Amino acid sequence: MAWLTCSLHETPVTAGGLVTMPILIPLADLIGMSRQLMITSFQVGDGLTNLIVPTSGGTLAMLALGKVSYAQWLRVIMPLLLLIYAMCWLALIAGHYFRY
């Protein structure tokens, strides 16, 4: 679900949960995932993707204020972001197995 949220979040125009929740909730029901875990995975995908997506105005504004290029930001943040994604996915998998 986090991967799906990340891919949906890459589109320039998104309404966030308003558009994706009616799709993801029934999908979670179909695959046997709890609704609260699906919403948690949505938050993981949405929140972490906001750090790197170039259409995020807040991220680009802060990079401009700090005089940091987007390429420099990606080079620094990607190793950390991949580690955080891996830890979140492990937590989501554990939540699924513990019936969260």
Side-chain angles (χ1 to χ4, degrees):
M1 290 295 178
W3 279 102
L4 181 62
T5 303
C6 290
S7 63
L8 290 173
H9 196 69
E10 292 297 326
T11 58
V13 179
T14 181
L18 184 64
V19 173
T20 56
M21 283 301 158
I23 297 167
L24 294 178
I25 293 282
L27 184 61
D29 291 339
L30 284 173
I31 63 172
M33 181 185 220
S34 71
R35 291 181 174 196
Q36 63 186 9
L37 187 62
M38 191 286 306
I39 292 171
T40 304
S41 69
F42 173 82
Q43 292 296 323
V44 166
D46 184 52
L48 293 178
T49 303
N50 283 335
L51 292 174
I52 59 168
V53 69
T55 57
S56 174
T59 301
L60 293 181
M62 293 304 119
L63 291 175
L65 284 173
K67 294 182 175 63
V68 176
S69 74
Y70 185 67
Q72 290 173 323
W73 171 247
L74 284 180
R75 191 170 43 249
V76 170
I77 197 69
M78 284 309 282
L80 177 63
L81 194 63
L82 290 174
L83 176 66
I84 293 171
Y85 264 124
M87 290 181 349
C88 288
W89 289 328
L90 289 174
L92 289 171
I93 290 168
H96 180 69
Y97 284 115
F98 291 122
R99 307 259 185 232
Y100 173 73

